[in-house]
């Protein structure tokens, strides 16, 4: 009895006392890792003054501005701008401010160079779009201030670099002049502004930069017209192309006169057919023209003649000119030669002379060089050395100095498109005895230390030792499968067409692969990742592999490309350029004898193609022929269609793997009142443990669990913009739950005065969605649960417990069961970037919603808070069931942020993967940063926690044994005494 | 300091605001031409002052101000001021993202009919704001605080309870037995013996032989 009582108390206590999902500060980094990236670098400015640490300031395609340490490539500071806030240019002013121009030339910001604090922000207005240009002249200084010239939106602005005040503005849009170039004249405070009006009128303005006074204005017409970029070859000459793209036009505007000079490309001995383009560069007396697949360096001779200096293939990259010591200029040329990259630094204007020539070995997985920036430094012998910052095709950033790669950054990981996971290889058998003995000693020592830690007796060295032991003992970075399924490979596909395998233990890159590009397809788009082969039962010798599906071109009719990648070795097994397109890819729930998953590719003619193309696959497919259904969402037309397979393709070429389809049903939303903004379905691999839910009244509710459920949200077209663009009266949000086999609308609900964006997650029998309520002006989250009414009479709990219910009776997707829904809505404080739900191996563990908030944090919210049965005064029975009293808003508990005090900047997606251990789920959040952690939504009830003190357990057992003997002796004595009495 | 302006020169207005805020009044400035309205305000963080600029303690560099769920993102100046330009009339939502602090989103009404009129209210507490000065509702502690070691925590732990129970049985039970009437106790013992319920003495080998 007593033992039972103890067990009961223990159970009760353990369920109460263990803190909910939260972390102690010293546990950071045990189960999680965080990596910071910046993205593909667009601009780079070096800051290498003698004092202070050398740094380079970069802006990237992910709208990041960052200051990097030139020695190691680490991030000093970094800011992620808004999604629409694309950086147009960066520079350094006054030697202490980083100036950025962004948002199509409308926002100018200054950041403090040492710490990245924003100093000022200025908004530039203008009426018309024009090329945004940022110029920070070095010589335009008044007292301690210096001018920043910005040409954007048809205007030229002069901005003070101290406080961002706009000193003067000159509007060129009024004269319909589109500014092409702002040129600073040496040794004077005058600037030239040149531009076109229309396509043939050339304008040159001479302006006093100090006050914006117009000194001179010249204009001239050129009959041929202008097109494309201009290349400035000297302070008063520029080169551009005429509209036929076959004539180079040299425009000189010196001495207040504009003169045109035409040079046929064919006169330079070049074939001008094809795509001719002038590349923007800042070399003096020289410019680059790209013709088809080669590049020409053309020089302007002293007699104003053009001559070809050099001809290279199009993979060669040229840097901007760098001015070093006493006005000397240099630029870098990077050429590819096999596995090597040749970097040549040449003095300006002199092609045949080389300042530096280096050749570095380059990993071919990095692809081609895309950009190069150079910087000089003084060697110890007072000569000039050069370092080059190279941006590669795979978005990585390398610093090259003295023929060596000093550091590199894998910045493709800032632009993850798709993620999947792969198991690691199984560990080979065999453990040595010595190892066990050694580890036993270590184990004891470790536990002694841990005990010290728990008793708060540990010295700082001990604490450090405990941390080190914890990190080591977890064996989290081993390259083999573990018992709990915590170690996995995260296979990520990035915008750079590069696939990385990250180890889930510490986030290191195990392998990376730049996807092979074929002749026909040099820039595939719309890449996606699918599990192709995940061997577990049979075919254990096969390595798992993933399928990458891409599109060769922009339009949806473009042919698809397939690529198969082995996830253990990172080798591309195979790749195909298909003849048909792929607008939709459907992994089927069938695998063949080698555990290759069958996939269907839907092309733009609504035909489906079966992969892999084997006879076995086709025989499996033929068996399931009539059971294959899918849907397509055409958001632009407001149509959702259901499809089924009809017959084999009837074409001239007999293709066994091609099938015609038919439309089974379609739902057409009225275009004038509803616009589809979100469509979410259940995760295909989700596991549901039980179909029934026993309520407190001993009642059974049957969950309506269907894999074919689709959640669709539509909004009023007027309210499809941002918040603030629509009135509550003209905004509504309609949500639907649709069965994708029959096209039946199971549930429809209208939220008046609500608008998007909608983020939703569908799991088991419930859907949770987040939207904006315009009336309350707050975000809301709604939950809808669906229950099957047709089985409601089957209510006997006893039968359910004994397994004598009819739940095992086959369920047909064609049946139309009666369903009921329960809904409830709560306020939620933050904007949301992504929503996901935890998933566990068997679906027993309760669920948590993972909400990526606007602050780039990930919040774990118990599903219990989003229970439609919450009421203001729950009965005692309901309380016991775990129903929380109703509140109008969802709680935000700081300890339940899974990212704790870290940010996943630019958060885009959250992936959850079940571990083998039922209580645990693995979470990977990605954006510009990556974050990975392990979560136990109902705590780790099936394993001991990491900080479980075995030593204390041993101590207790010893104490108990001792107590038994003591009591034994005592009781014997007592009995003896009693007998004597 | 809520201000709504139809302005061209933002910065000058910003300085006017700065000046007017000293007189502590809500400002409403509207100027002639321009496209759209602007909202400017200030975020107050504890420990952030004008002096904080440049020092590592200045946390303002890690704060983002987000308009309408991501339409625009801006950053704080060293003194905590921010502004959004080129906004349409209507009701907007401003959120402050700062690690370590919980800020309520703010609803800001920009009136087209009365240019220069602005209304701001915290959506969490529904409190109206006279000036657009945003302060954190609370600090966020992301980590559980490790309790210092105490005897009580050891006692409260399951093991401690087990030990406690054992001690009670060992030391208190005999005391209780002693207080019992010897007659009654004998009867109870007899009863137990007749029922054959194993006593503690029976369980321990050697002790049961009496």
């Amino acid at each position: 009895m007593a033992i039972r009582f103890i067990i009961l108390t223990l159970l009760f206590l353990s369920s109460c006392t263990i803190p909910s999902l939260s972390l102690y500060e010293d546990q950071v980094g045990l189960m999680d890792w965080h990596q910071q990236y910046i993205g593909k670098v667009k601009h780079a400015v070096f800051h290498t003054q003698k004092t202070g640490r050398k740094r380079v300031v970069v802006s990237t395609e992910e709208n990041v501005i960052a200051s990097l340490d030139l020695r190691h490539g680490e991030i000093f500071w970094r800011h992620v701008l808004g999604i629409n806030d694309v950086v147009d240019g960066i520079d350094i002013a006054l030697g202490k401010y980083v100036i950025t121009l962004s948002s199509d030339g409308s926002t100018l910001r200054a950041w403090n160079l040492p710490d990245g604090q924003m100093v000022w922000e200025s908004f530039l207005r203008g009426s018309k779009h024009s090329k945004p240009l940022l110029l920070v002249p070095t010589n335009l200084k008044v007292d301690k201030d210096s001018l920043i010239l910005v040409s954007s939106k048809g205007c030229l602005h002069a901005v003070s670099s101290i406080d961002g005040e706009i000193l003067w503005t000159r509007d060129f849009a009024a004269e319909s002049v589109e500014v092409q170039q702002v040129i600073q004249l040496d040794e004077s405070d005058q600037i030239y502004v040149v531009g076109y009006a229309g396509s043939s009128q050339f304008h040159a303005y001479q302006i006093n930069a100090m006050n914006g006074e117009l000194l001179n204005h010249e204009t001239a017409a050129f009959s041929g017209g202008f097109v494309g970029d201009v290349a400035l070859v000297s302070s008063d000459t520029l080169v551009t192309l005429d509209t036929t793209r076959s004539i180079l036009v040299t425009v000189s505007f010196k001495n207040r006169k504009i003169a045109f000079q035409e040079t046929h490309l064919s006169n330079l001995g070049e074939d001008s057919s094809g795509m001719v383009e002038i590349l923007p560069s800042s070399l003096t007396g020289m410019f680059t023209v790209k013709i088809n697949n080669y590049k020409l360096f053309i020089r302007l001779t002293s007699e104003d003649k053009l001559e070809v200096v050099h001809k290279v293939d199009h993979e060669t990259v040229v840097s901007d000119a760098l001015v070093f010591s006493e006005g000397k200029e240099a630029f870098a040329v990077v050429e590819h030669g096999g596995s090597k990259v040749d970097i040549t630094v040449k003095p300006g204007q002199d092609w045949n002379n080389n300042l530096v020539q280096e050749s570095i070995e380059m990993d071919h997985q990095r692809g081609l060089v895309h950009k190069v920036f150079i910087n000089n430094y003084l060697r110890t012998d007072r000569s000039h050395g050069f370092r080059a910052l190279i941006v590669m095709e795979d978005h990585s950033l390398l610093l090259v100095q003295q023929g060596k790669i000093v550091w590199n950054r894998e910045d493709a990981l800032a632009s993850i498109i798709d993620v999947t996971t792969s198991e690691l290889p199984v560990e080979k058998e065999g453990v040595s005895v010595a190892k066990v003995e050694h580890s036993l000693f270590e184990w004891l020592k470790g536990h002694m230390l841990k005990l010290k830690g728990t008793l708060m007796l540990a010295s700082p060295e001990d604490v450090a030792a405990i941390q080190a032991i914890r990190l080591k003992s977890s064996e989290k970075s081993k390259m083999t499968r573990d018992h709990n399924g915590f170690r996995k490979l995260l296979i990520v596909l990035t915008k750079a067409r590069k696939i990385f395998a990250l180890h889930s233990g510490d986030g290191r890159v195990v392998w990376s692969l730049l996807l092979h590009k074929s002749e026909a397809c040099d820039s595939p788009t719309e890449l996606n990742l699918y599990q192709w082969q995940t061997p577990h039962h049979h075919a254990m010798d096969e390595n798992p592999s993933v399928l990458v599906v891409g599109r060769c071109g922009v339009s949806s009719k473009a042919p698809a490309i397939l690529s198969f990648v082995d996830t253990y070795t990172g080798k591309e097994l195979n790749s195909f350029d298909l003849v048909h397109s792929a607008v939709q890819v459907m992994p089927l729930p069938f695998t063949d004898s080698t555990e290759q998953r069958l996939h269907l590719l839907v092309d733009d003619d609504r035909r489906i193609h079966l992969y892999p193309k084997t006879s076995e696959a086709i025989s499996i497919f033929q068996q399931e022929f009539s059971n294959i259904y899918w849907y397509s969402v055409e958001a632009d037309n407001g149509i959702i269609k259901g499809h089924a397979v009809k017959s084999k393709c009837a074409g001239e070429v007999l293709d066994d793997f091609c099938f015609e389809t038919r439309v089974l049903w379609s739902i057409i939303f009225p275009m004038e009142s509803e616009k589809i903004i979100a469509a979410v379905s259940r995760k295909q691999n989700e596991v549901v443990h039980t179909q029934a839910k026993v309520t407190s009244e001993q009642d059974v509710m049957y969950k309506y669990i269907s894999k074919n459920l689709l959640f669709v949200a539509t909004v009023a077209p007027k309210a499809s913009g941002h918040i603030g663009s629509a009135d509550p009266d003209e905004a509504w949000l309609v949500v639907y739950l649709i069965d994708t086999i029959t096209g039946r609308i199971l549930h429809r609900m209208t939220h008046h005065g609500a608008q998007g964006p909608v983020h939703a997650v569908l799991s088991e029998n419930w859907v949770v969605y987040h939207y904006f309520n315009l009336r309350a002006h707050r975000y809301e989250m709604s939950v809808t649960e669906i229950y099957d009414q047709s089985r409601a009479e089957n209510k006997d709990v006893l039968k359910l417990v004994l397994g004598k219910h009819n739940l095992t009776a086959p369920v047909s997707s064609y049946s139309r069961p009666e369903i009921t829904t329960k809904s409830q809505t709560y306020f939620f404080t933050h904007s949301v970037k992504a929503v996901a739900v935890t998933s566990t191996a068997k679906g027993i563990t309760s669920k948590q919603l993972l909400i990526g908030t606007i602050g780039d944090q990930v919040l774990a919210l118990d599903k219990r808070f989003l229970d439609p049965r919450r009421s203001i005064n729950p009965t005692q029975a309901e309380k016991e069931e775990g129903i929380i009293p109703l509140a109008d808003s969802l709680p935000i508990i700081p300890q339940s942020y899974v990212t704790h005090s870290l940010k996943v900047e630019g958060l885009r997606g959250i992936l959850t993967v079940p571990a083998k251990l039922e209580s645990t789920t693995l979470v990977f959040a990605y954006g510009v940063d990556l974050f990975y952690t392990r979560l136990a939504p109902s705590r780790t009830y099936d394993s001991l926690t990491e900080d479980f003190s075995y030593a204390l357990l041993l101590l207790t057992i010893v104490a108990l044994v001792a107590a038994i003997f003591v009591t034994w002796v005592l009781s014997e004595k007592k009995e003896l005494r009693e007998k004597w009495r | 300091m809520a201000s709504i302006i139809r302005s061209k020169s933002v910065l000058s207005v910003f300085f006017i605001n700065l000046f007017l805020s000293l007189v502590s009044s809500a400002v409403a400035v509207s100027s002639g031409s321009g496209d759209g309205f602007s909202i400017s305000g200030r975020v107050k963080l504890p420990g952030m002052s004008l002096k904080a600029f440049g020092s590592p303690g200045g946390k303002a560099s890690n704060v983002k101000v987000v308009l309408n769920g991501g339409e625009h993102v801006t950053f704080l100046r060293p003194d905590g001021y921010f502004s959004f330009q080129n906004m349409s009339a209507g009701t907007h939502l401003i959120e402050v993202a700062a690690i370590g602090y919980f800020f309520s989103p703010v609803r800001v009404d920009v009136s087209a009919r009365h240019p220069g009129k602005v209304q701001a209210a915290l959506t969490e507490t529904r409190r109206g704001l006279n000036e657009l000065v945003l302060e954190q509702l609370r600090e966020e502690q992301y980590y559980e605080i490790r309790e210092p070691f105490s005897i009580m925590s050891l006692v409260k732990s399951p093991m401690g309870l087990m030990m406690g129970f054992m001690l009670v049985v060992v030391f208190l039970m005999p005391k209780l037995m002693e207080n019992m009437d010897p007659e009654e106790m004998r009867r109870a013992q007899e009863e137990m013996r007749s029922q054959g319920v194993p006593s503690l003495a029976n369980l321990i080998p050697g002790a049961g032989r009496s």
Side-chain angles (χ1 to χ4, degrees), chain A residues 27 29-32 446-447 450 466-467 469-476 482 484 486 934 940 943-950, chain B residues 146:
Chain A
Q27 289 176 323
L30 281 182
M31 299 184 290
D32 54 19
H447 277 290
K450 264 189 201 170
I466 292 168
Q467 285 281 8
I469 287 169
R470 275 183 179 172
L471 284 177
K472 212 173 79 186
S473 67
S474 56
E475 295 187 328
K476 60 184 190 176
D482 64 333
N484 290 334
F486 292 164
R934 209 158 74 203
T940 44
S943 75
L944 292 168
T945 52
E946 299 241 328
D947 52 351
F948 181 81
S949 178
Y950 290 93
Chain B
R146 215 178 253 287

Side-chain angles (χ1 to χ4, degrees), chain A residues 269-296:
Chain A
E270 294 308 325
D271 172 27
S272 65
S273 63
M275 198 55 200
V276 181
E277 220 182 324
I278 286 190
L279 299 175
S281 72
S282 69
L283 309 178
T284 312
M286 204 169 350
F287 62 97
T288 332
V289 181
K290 186 181 173 203
I291 305 173
N292 292 330
N293 55 2
Y294 59 91
K295 282 177 183 169
L296 287 181

Side-chain angles (χ1 to χ4, degrees), chain A residues 15-166:
Chain A
S15 62
C16 295
T17 49
I18 298 171
S20 66
L21 184 130
S22 52
L23 209 62
Y24 294 109
E25 197 157 3
D26 52 14
Q27 289 176 323
V28 170
L30 281 182
M31 299 184 290
D32 54 19
W33 48 263
H34 179 238
Q35 294 178 350
Q36 295 187 312
Y37 293 98
I38 52 174
K40 187 184 184 185
V41 169
K42 278 201 291 198
H43 313 277
V45 185
F46 291 89
H47 182 78
T48 51
Q49 281 187 341
K50 283 174 198 91
T51 53
R53 299 172 78 175
K54 294 184 174 30
R55 52 184 80 212
V56 57
V57 181
V58 294
S59 73
T60 73
E61 293 187 351
E62 303 296 319
N63 301 350
V64 175
I65 312 158
S67 167
L68 305 178
D69 185 348
L70 257 187
R71 290 228 174 89
H72 310 288
E74 288 151 9
I75 299 169
F76 277 129
W77 53 263
R78 177 184 64 155
H79 289 292
V80 182
L81 307 185
I83 299 165
N84 311 320
D85 212 1
V86 179
V87 184
D88 303 308
I90 59 169
D91 212 334
I92 291 178
L94 298 172
K96 60 177 182 181
Y97 292 158
V98 177
I99 310 290
T100 62
L101 181 68
S102 60
S103 276
D104 202 18
S106 65
T107 312
L108 190 68
R109 293 192 182 101
W111 313 85
N112 194 22
L113 187 58
D115 63 358
Q117 163 75 51
M118 192 179 81
V119 186
W120 50 260
E121 181 180 36
S122 220
F123 298 94
L124 310 171
R125 281 145 200 275
S127 45
K128 224 177 99 189
H129 169 81
S130 75
K131 192 166 75 177
L133 297 167
L134 172 70
L135 182 68
V136 184
T138 46
N139 61 342
L140 293 180
K141 279 198 177 138
V142 193
D143 298 331
K144 280 177 184 165
D145 199 355
S146 86
L147 274 187
I148 299 165
L149 296 168
V150 180
S151 163
S152 71
K153 304 215 165 197
C155 298
L156 180 70
H157 308 270
V159 183
S160 156
S161 56
I162 285 183
D163 53 11
E165 196 183 341
I166 299 169

